[in-house]
Amino acid sequence: MSKAAASLRNCFFCGKHIPTDAGMMLIKNDGSIQWTCSPKCKKNLRLKRDPRKLKWTRKYVKGGIKVKK
Ligand SMILES: [Zn+2]
């Protein structure tokens, strides 16, 4: 059971599934935990890039994003 639960992580940045023994944990100042699948995602997350604007992420939105103000 715990093995299955551990494998349900998704990358906080690109949204891709992270294998149980992979990924990197980022702990933010407010104590929340973010998992990233690769150094690439970690870097982009640190730079506060919007994954919806990057084609290689699962969160990419075709034709641009609509931002509510
Ligand atoms: Zn990722």
Side-chain angles (χ1 to χ4, degrees):
M1 194 68 189
S2 60
K3 216 176 182 181
S7 67
L8 288 171
R9 284 195 300 258
N10 285 319
C11 177
F12 187 83
F13 189 77
C14 73
K16 287 174 188 167
H17 175 75
I18 303 171
T20 313
D21 56 352
M24 277 164 292
M25 190 172 72
L26 273 170
I27 301 169
K28 292 187 77 184
N29 291 335
D30 62 5
S32 63
I33 295 167
Q34 296 173 337
W35 282 91
T36 53
C37 66
S38 65
K40 188 180 174 183
C41 286
K42 193 179 174 185
K43 195 178 150 191
N44 280 279
L45 188 65
R46 280 239 173 115
L47 292 169
K48 292 183 178 175
R49 292 215 174 116
D50 193 333
R52 290 172 298 180
K53 290 177 183 173
L54 298 167
K55 277 188 178 178
W56 52 269
T57 73
R58 273 198 180 179
K59 294 179 180 177
Y60 177 68
V61 178
K62 258 190 175 181
I65 51 163
K66 288 166 189 169
V67 182
K68 280 185 182 176
K69 272 194 176 176

